[in-house]
C-alpha cells in the first residue's frame, strides 16, 4: 500500500562534509517500512512543484520516526538538505521490495558511500540467530558511518583500500553464506565477482521518474530483458543481474 | 450540470482530463479516485514484446524530463491475455489502447486482434515515438503514410480512432489533415520533442540513446503552439498534452483549441496532479458560470 | 597558449563564445570587455526597413522566453549608411552580418551590397525566423531551396558564409547537408522553436502573433539534440545556441559537436553571461589541461 | 551610463495589501537617477538566475538611497517581495529617458495604480516655479498613496470614481498647460482624449527582456513604426502615440 503524504520535518541535521539526515514522524507510515524499501522524497517548498521526486532508502525506523541519510549531489538533494524542522517534506512510499531476511546464517553486509543507509537499517532488523559482519567503505572520512569495519580509499579513516578487499578476506575466513550489498556500481560489480556463487542480495540504484512502476524508466538488466528498480527491486538476486551491461 | 463534460470524436467524456500514454498505471488509483479521469490511455503496445532500451533511460533537465524507454511492453498477446482483463476489471472510465507497429500490416494485425476484445472504447495510434528505430516517428512524419495507415485502420473499426502526432515535423497541420482525411476521429498531440543532455564533467550522454524524448514544462509553449496550429487546420477534436502541470496550464490548451487534455510528466512531480487539475478546472468554471465547451478554441 | 581558440569555417576565433543574432548590441560593452567574444553577430537585416510586429512582443514562460519581434530593422541602406560604420568603429572582434530575404534575389542583392563594404568577416543567412510571413522559415524548411540559395550566395563571396537553421523541421540534418552541398562554410543553429502562451484568465494570446518564437532554458535539450544530429551529418562546423546560460551548458554543446556557441536569452537573465561563460570555460579547460578543440564532438 | 550591480537590500517593507517597498544605497547610482527612469531588477536569490529582470521605476531618491515601490503580480515581483534587508538585489540601470522638467507652468500629474512611483518622484523634483496638482486613482484603498486628490473605483478611499473625472475638472478649471501621466492603459487612453492638445508626457509600460534597447521587445506604436519603451521611452509625448493600436 503506497501512501502520499506531506509531513513536517521532525529532525534535520548536517552530517560530515556532504550528508544530511532528515526524519519525519508518522506511526502508520513507519509500520509499513521494511529494510530495503525506499521513498520518493521532495521538498515541499515553493519552486519545487515542477521538479521530480528523488528516491531515498529508509535509513532508520524507531517507533514512529522514519529517518533518511542523504548525500547532497545535485538540485534535488540540495533542496532536501535545506529543509529545517517544521518545513514540509513530500513522501511517496514506502516503495520497492525489501531484503529477504535470513536466519541462522553467517551474514556479510557490504556498503559503499551512500549505499550505507539501507544496510544500516537491515542490520537493525536482522534476526538474532544470524552471525554478521558489516563492512563499509568510502572515499574519505566524510563517507564513513558506524559499522564493524571501515575502509577508505585515502586512508583517512579505518583501513586504507577498497572495501571489497575486506570482503575477500571475510568470505575466505568466515564461511559466509549470505551477502547483502549496496553501493556504487564499480564496487558492486567487483563484489559480485568476489562473492561468486554465495547467495547475494544487492540493492541497485537507477534514475527514477514515477517510483511506482509505471514509467519503466528505472530498468536494469536482470534475467531476460529488464526489471524495474522501483518495483521488482531495488533488491535483486545478484546472480540474475547482467553486470556486463551496467 | 457537468460544466466539464467533453467530447472526443465518438466519445462523451465526464472529465476533460486524461492520462498520457506510457506515463500512467492503475497504481495511481491507490492515491486518487479514477473518476477524475475522462479517459484512460494505456502504454503503447507492439505486436511482439519489446525489452526496451538499455539504462540509463531517464534524466531530469532544468525544465523537463528526458526519456528513452523504447516502448518496453509485453507484446500484443500478453497484453490481451494478462493486462487487458486486469484493466477491464479495474477501470470504470473508458479505456483507449495505444499501439504502434513497424509496418502498416503490423498496425492492422494489432487492431484486428483488439477489435475482438470487449471493454475498450478505442485506440490511440502512436506514430510518433522518438525512441525506437522502426516503429513510431518514421511513420508519423509523412502525410501520405499517415493517410494510408489511418485509412486502413478506420475501415476496420467503429471505435474511437485517435492518431497521436509528433512535434518533430515541419508541418504538423498537414499531417493532422492527412489523419483526418484518412478517417481518424480525433488526434492526440504532442508526443515528446527530440531532446538530449550530456554530463559536462565526463562527456557522456545522460541517456543511453543520445537523442531521446523530451517532455514536461519546457515543452509546454511548443505543445500549445502546435495544438493551436492543428486546431486551425482540422475539424476533428484534439487531445492535447505537453507540460501540463496545473489547471491554468490546462485552460491555455482549451483556449488554443483542445477538446481534452492529458497529463504525463506532471504525475512524477505530483502524483495527484490529474486530480488537482480536474478540481481546479471545476472550481474555475463554476466561479465563471461557464462550461468548458464554451471556451474551447476561443483564444483571441 | 589559448586553450579556447576555435575555428568556424574560414575564421580563426580567439574565443568560442559568440552572441545570438537579434539579442545583442554594443550597449553591453559598457558592462564587459568585448574581447570575451570570438564573434559579433548583428541583428538580422532585410532589404527594406521592417517595422516589426505590434506589441506585445515578449512573454516569459516557466522555462524560457517567447518573442515576436518580426525582424524589426532599418533596412539594408540604413544599415550600411549608419549602423555598419558605427559597428566598424566600435568592434575589435570579427563582425558577422545576419540577413534575410523574401526571395533568393533579395538575399543576393543584400549580399552583393555588403560585399562592397569593408570590415565584415562574413554573413549569417537567416532562413529560420518564425515571426515573419515571407522571409525566414519558409525558406529554411526545404532542402532544395536551401541548396539553391546557398549555392548562389557561395558563388558571390569568399567571406564566411553561415547558414542559420530552424529547429521546426522534420529533418534538420537533410537541410544542413543541403547548405553544406551548396557551399556554406559553417552552420548556425538553432533559431527559436515555435511557441505560444495564453493568458488563462482572459483567453488572450500573450503575444500579438499567437505562434511565435521560443528561446531559453526550455529549448536547451532540443538544441543539443539537433546540434548532435547535425554534427553527425555534416563536415562543416557548427555555431550552436539555444538556452545556453552557463559554461557547463556550453560544454554540453561542445561535446555534442559544436565548434563555437552563442548566447542569446541568457543575456536578459544576466547581462554578464557571455563573459561568465568564457571565464568558466577558461578555468575548466585550464584545470583539465585540455584545449577545447580536443573535446568537440567527443560525446560518448 | 548603465551600471550593473548587486546590492544588499537596505530597507524592505510590506505596504498595504499587495505592494512592497525596496531600497538600496549607492551614492554613485543615486547620482545618475532622474524622474521617469527605471531599473531592471531581479532577486539575487538562488533559483532566479535563469529568470528575466523586471522593469521598475525609480520611486524615491534621498541622498544615497534609491527606493522602489512594487506591486506584487507574478513570479518576478513575488521574488522581489520576499527579499529581506541584507539580501542581494540585482540592478541594471538607470534605464530609459526621463521626464522633461518644465518651469513656470500649471502642471497636472495623474497616476493610476502602479503608475504612482514615477510621478511621486517627479513631483519631488518639479521646479518650484510650477504650480501643480497630483491626482492618483486606484481600484480600492490598497492602491492609494499620498497625493493631492485620491479617487477609487469602489469609493473606499478619497472620491469615488475614475481619476480621469478629476482630471476633466482640473483641466477645465485651472488652465493646466502641462500634464504628466502614468498608469494602466485604459486610464492613459481616456486621459489622452481628455487632455487633447495640451502638452502631455506619458510614461508607458511594456513587457521587457533586455531593458537596454537591443531586443526590440518593448516596442510601442509611436510616430511612424515603433519605439522602444526602454530606450526612446518610457516617457513619450502623448500626441505621438498611436493609441488606437495599444
Ligand atoms: C532505490 C534508491 C535508493 C537510494 N537511497 C539513497 C539514500 O538513502 N541516500 C542518498 O543520499 N541517496 C540515495 N539514492 C540516490 C539518490 O536518489 C540520488 O543521489 C539523487 O536522486 C540525486 O538527485 P539530485 O537531483 O540531487 O542530483 P542529480 O543532479 O540528479 O545528480 C547529481 C549527480 O548524481 C548522479 N545521480 C543522480 N541520480 C542518481 C542515482 N539515482 N544513482 C546514481 N547516481 C545518480 C548524476 O548522474 C549526477 O552526476 C538512492 C537511489 C535509489 C534509486
Ligand atoms: C518602465 C516600467 C516601469 C515600471 N515601474 C513599475 C513600478 O514602479 N512598480 C511596479 O510595481 N511595477 C512597475 N512596472 C511593472 C512591472 O514591471 C510588472 O508588474 C512586472 O514586470 C510583472 O512581473 P511578474 O513576473 O511579477 O508578473 P508577470 O507574471 O510577468 O505578470 C503578471 C501579470 O501582470 C501583467 N504584466 C506583466 N508585466 C507587465 C508590464 N510590464 N506591464 C503591464 N502588465 C504587465 C501580466 O500580463 C500578467 O497578467 C513597470 C514596468 C515598466 C515597463
Ligand atoms: C516516461 C515516458 C514514457 C512515455 N511512453 C509513451 C508511450 O508509450 N506511448 C506514447 O504515445 N507516448 C509516450 N510518452 C509521451 C507522453 O505520452 C506525452 O506525449 C509526452 O510526455 C508529453 O506530455 P507531458 O509533457 O505531459 O509528459 C511517454 C512519455 C514519458 C515521459
Ligand atoms: C528577442 C529575440 C530576437 C531575436 N532576433 C533574431 C534575429 O533577428 N535573427 C536571428 O537569426 N535570430 C534571432 N533570434 C534567435 C536567436 O538568435 C537564437 O537563435 C535563439 O534565441 C536561441 O538561442 P537562446 O536560447 O540562447 O536565446 C532572436 C531571439 C530573441 C529571443
Ligand atoms: S521509476 Fe518509473 S518504473 Fe521505476
Ligand atoms: S526591452 Fe529590449 S529593446 Fe526594450
Amino acid at each position: 500500500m503506497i501512501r502520499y503524504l506531506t509531513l513536517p520535518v521532525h529532525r534535520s541535521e548536517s552530517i560530515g562534509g556532504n550528508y544530511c539526515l532528515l526524519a519525519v514522524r508518522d506511526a502508520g507510515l513507519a509500520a509499513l517500512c521494511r529494510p530495503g524499501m525506499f521513498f520518493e522524497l521532495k521538498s515541499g517548498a515553493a519552486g519545487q512543484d515542477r521538479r521530480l521526486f528523488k528516491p531515498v532508502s529508509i535509513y532508520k525506523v524507531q517507533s514512529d520516526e522514519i529517518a533518511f541519510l542523504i548525500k547532497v549531489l545535485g538540485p534535488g538533494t540540495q533542496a532536501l538538505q535545506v529543509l529545517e524542522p517544521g518545513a514540509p517534506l513530500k513522501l511517496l512510499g514506502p516503495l520497492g521490495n525489501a531484503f529477504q531476511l535470513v536466519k541462522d546464517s553467517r551474514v556479510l553486509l557490504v556498503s559503499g558511500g551512500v549505499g550505507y543507509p539501507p544496510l544500516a537499517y537491515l542490520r537493525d532488523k536482522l534476526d538474532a540467530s544470524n552471525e554478521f559482519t558489516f563492512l563499509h567503505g568510502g572515499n574519505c572520512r566524510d563517507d564513513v558511518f558506524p559499522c564493524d569495519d571501515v575502509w577508505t580509499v585515502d586512508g583517512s579513516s579505518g583501513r586504507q583500500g577498497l572495501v571489497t578487499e575486506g570482503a575477500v578476506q571475510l568470505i575466505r575466513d568466515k564461511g559466509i553464506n549470505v551477502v547483502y550489498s549496496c553501493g556504487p556500481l564499480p564496487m558492486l560489480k567487483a563484489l559480485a565477482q568476489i562473492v561468486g556463487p554465495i547467495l547475494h542480495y544487492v540493492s541497485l540504484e537507477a534514475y527514477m521518474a514515477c517510483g511506482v512502476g509505471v514509467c519503466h524508466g528505472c530498468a536494469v538488466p536482470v534475467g531476460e530483458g529488464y526489471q524495474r528498480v522501483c518495483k521488482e527491486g531495488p533488491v535483486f538476486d545478484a546472480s540474475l543481474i547482467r553486470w556486463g551491461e551496467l | 450540470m457537468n460544466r466539464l463534460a467533453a467530447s472526443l470524436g465518438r466519445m462523451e467524456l465526464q472529465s476533460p482530463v486524461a492520462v498520457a500514454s506510457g506515463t500512467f498505471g492503475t497504481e495511481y488509483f491507490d492515491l486518487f479516485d479514477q473518476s477524475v479521469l475522462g479517459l484512460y490511455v494505456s502504454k503503447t503496445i507492439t505486436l511482439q514484446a519489446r525489452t526496451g532500451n538499455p539504462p540509463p533511460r531517464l534524466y531530469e533537465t532544468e525544465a523537463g524530463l528526458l526519456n528513452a524507454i523504447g516502448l518496453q511492453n509485453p507484446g500484443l498477446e500478453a497484453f490481451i491475455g494478462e493486462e487487458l482483463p486486469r484493466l477491464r476489471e479495474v477501470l470504470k472510465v473508458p479505456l483507449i489502447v495505444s499501439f504502434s507497429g513497424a509496418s502498416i500490416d503490423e498496425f492492422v494485425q494489432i487492431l484486428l486482434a483488439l477489435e475482438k476484445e470487449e471493454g475498450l472504447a478505442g485506440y490511440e495510434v502512436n506514430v510518433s515515438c522518438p525512441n525506437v528505430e522502426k516503429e513510431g516517428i518514421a511513420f508519423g512524419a509523412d502525410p501520405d503514410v499517415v493517410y494510408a495507415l489511418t485509412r486502413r485502420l478506420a475501415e476496420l473499426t467503429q471505435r474511437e480512432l485517435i492518431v497521436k502526432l509528433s512535434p518533430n515535423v515541419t508541418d504538423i497541420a498537414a499531417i493532422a489533415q492527412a489523419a483526418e482525411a484518412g478517417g481518424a476521429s480525433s488526434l492526440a498531440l504532442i508526443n515528446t520533442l527530440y531532446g538530449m543532455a550530456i554530463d559536462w564533467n565526463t562527456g557522456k550522454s545522460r541517456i543511453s540513446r543520445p537523442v531521446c524524448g523530451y517532455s514536461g514544462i519546457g515543452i509546454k509553449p511548443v505543445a500549445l503552439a502546435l495544438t493551436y496550429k492543428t486546431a486551425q487546420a482540422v475539424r476533428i477534436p484534439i487531445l492535447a498534452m505537453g507540460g501540463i502541470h496545473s489547471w491554468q496550464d490546462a485552460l491555455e490548451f482549451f483556449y488554443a483549441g483542445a477538446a481534452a487534455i492529458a497529463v504525463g510528466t506532471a504525475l512524477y512531480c505530483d502524483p495527484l496532479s490529474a486530480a488537482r487539475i480536474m478540481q481546479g478546472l471545476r472550481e474555475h468554471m463554476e466561479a465563471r458560470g461557464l462550461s468548458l465547451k464554451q471556451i474551447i478554441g476561443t483564444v483571441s
Side-chain angles (χ1 to χ4, degrees), chain A, chain B:
Chain A
M1 180 59 192
I2 300 169
R3 294 177 61 196
Y4 177 42
L5 293 170
T6 303
L7 294 175
V9 169
H10 174 58
R11 277 198 297 151
S12 145
E13 291 163 24
S14 240
I15 294 180
N18 219 3
Y19 289 82
C20 74
L21 184 136
L22 286 182
V24 294
R25 296 177 66 172
D26 185 290
L29 210 55
L32 298 171
C33 295
R34 304 280 176 275
M37 289 179 168
F38 67 98
F39 279 85
E40 283 265 64
L41 297 185
K42 193 166 82 156
S43 159
Q48 291 296 311
D49 50 318
R50 294 176 183 204
R51 303 291 300 169
L52 295 186
F53 285 75
K54 296 290 167 174
V56 180
S57 300
I58 303 165
Y59 169 44
K60 268 190 185 152
V61 179
Q62 270 165 335
S63 75
D64 65 347
E65 192 193 77
I66 308 171
F68 304 98
L69 180 65
I70 302 169
K71 178 159 189 171
V72 181
L73 282 172
T77 47
Q78 272 156 19
L80 292 172
Q81 180 189 32
V82 298
L83 293 177
E84 308 267 333
L89 178 69
K90 300 192 173 195
L91 302 97
L92 179 69
L95 301 167
N97 63 0
F99 285 112
Q100 293 275 358
L101 296 178
V102 295
K103 290 188 178 180
D104 306 310
S105 304
R106 286 179 303 278
V107 174
L108 175 65
L109 298 99
V110 190
S111 63
V114 81
Y116 178 79
L119 294 197
Y121 182 27
L122 173 66
R123 177 195 51 194
D124 292 350
K125 300 291 166 190
L126 267 187
D127 195 84
S129 66
N130 299 297
E131 216 177 90
F132 70 86
T133 316
F134 187 175
L135 303 186
H136 175 72
N139 285 321
C140 63
R141 74 151 62 87
D142 280 348
D143 299 319
V144 162
F145 301 101
C147 64
D148 299 321
D149 215 352
V150 156
W151 294 74
T152 54
V153 175
D154 69 357
S156 57
S157 180
R159 298 209 257 165
Q160 173 158 20
L162 299 170
V163 68
T164 44
E165 298 171 32
V168 172
Q169 292 168 19
L170 276 169
I171 290 170
R172 199 181 47 207
D173 301 349
K174 286 221 176 170
I176 296 293
N177 47 20
V178 184
V179 178
Y180 295 98
S181 67
C182 185
L185 216 44
M187 175 200 118
L188 296 179
K189 282 187 183 181
L191 192 66
Q193 284 276 348
I194 292 163
V195 169
I198 301 169
L199 188 58
H200 179 188
Y201 295 109
V202 54
S203 175
L204 290 183
E205 290 192 358
Y207 212 99
M208 291 190 183
C210 71
V212 299
V214 308
C215 77
H216 293 275
C218 60
V220 284
V222 175
E224 290 164 31
Y226 296 101
Q227 293 192 4
R228 293 164 293 187
V229 170
C230 72
K231 190 98 173 184
E232 286 83 35
V235 180
F236 295 95
D237 177 341
S239 68
L240 300 178
I241 297 171
R242 302 200 303 278
W243 291 104
E245 296 174 31
L246 272 172
Chain B
M1 171 184 184
N2 180 2
R3 297 185 184 278
L4 297 187
S7 311
L8 193 73
R10 297 159 184 163
M11 294 188 294
E12 297 302 323
L13 310 178
Q14 290 304 305
S15 153
V17 179
V19 288
S21 175
T23 67
F24 198 77
T26 51
E27 285 82 348
Y28 282 113
F29 297 153
D30 285 359
L31 304 177
F32 65 88
D33 189 320
Q34 60 172 293
S35 67
V36 304
L37 299 180
L39 206 60
Y40 183 101
V41 184
S42 81
K43 175 150 187 64
T44 301
I45 60 164
T46 52
L47 193 58
Q48 307 301 331
R50 288 187 65 106
T51 53
N53 289 319
R57 293 181 176 181
L58 295 170
Y59 185 73
E60 186 182 22
T61 67
E62 288 90 348
L65 180 65
L66 296 177
N67 91 78
I69 311 300
L71 295 187
Q72 174 169 355
N73 80 92
L76 176 68
E77 209 180 297
F79 177 78
I80 290 179
E82 291 153 38
E83 185 67 4
L84 187 57
R86 204 183 61 76
L87 286 173
R88 251 194 307 247
E89 179 87 16
V90 173
L91 289 181
K92 296 182 205 109
V93 300
L95 167 64
I96 294 287
V97 176
S98 167
F99 65 94
S100 189
S103 65
I104 292 188
D105 272 352
E106 272 192 29
F107 279 97
V108 168
Q109 267 186 68
I110 298 172
L111 183 108
L112 287 177
L114 291 169
E115 277 289 300
K116 298 198 198 107
E117 301 297 322
E118 297 291 305
L120 40 90
Y123 310 101
E124 190 173 274
V125 184
N126 180 357
V127 290
S128 46
C129 179
N131 289 322
V132 291
E133 300 304 336
K134 284 182 300 184
E135 292 91 344
I137 206 168
F139 266 91
D142 182 338
D144 295 338
V145 176
V146 169
Y147 172 77
L149 171 63
T150 315
R151 179 117 203 224
R152 279 291 297 281
L153 299 178
E155 280 164 2
L156 301 171
T157 185
Q158 293 305 312
R159 291 173 174 163
E160 182 62 21
L161 187 65
I162 311 175
V163 175
K164 182 158 179 187
L165 303 179
S166 169
N168 303 303
V169 296
T170 306
D171 187 358
I172 198 169
I175 295 167
Q177 286 168 334
E180 181 179 43
S185 48
S186 58
L187 300 168
L189 58 102
I190 60 176
N191 210 316
T192 50
L193 274 168
Y194 288 132
M196 182 174 188
I198 296 173
D199 186 337
W200 56 268
N201 210 16
T202 62
K204 276 211 185 111
S205 170
R206 294 282 189 182
I207 305 272
S208 62
R209 258 177 99 84
V211 176
C212 57
Y214 178 34
S215 63
I217 51 168
I219 75 168
K220 196 186 88 177
V222 180
L224 203 60
L226 299 185
T227 298
Y228 176 79
K229 281 194 164 206
T230 306
Q232 302 287 307
V234 299
R235 250 168 263 197
I236 50 175
I238 296 170
L239 172 62
M241 68 201 82
I244 299 177
H245 282 251
S246 67
W247 59 267
Q248 292 94 333
D249 293 340
L251 277 179
E252 290 192 71
F253 283 84
F254 294 124
Y255 277 115
I261 60 100
V263 182
T265 303
L267 293 159
Y268 312 147
C269 304
D270 174 7
L272 299 184
S273 47
R276 198 170 30 74
I277 288 168
M278 177 64 183
Q279 177 69 12
L281 286 175
R282 191 181 297 289
E283 285 167 14
H284 178 77
M285 297 317 281
E286 199 63 55
R288 289 180 55 189
L290 284 176
S291 290
L292 195 60
K293 287 187 180 174
Q294 293 175 276
I295 69 164
I296 289 175
T298 62
V299 58
S300 65

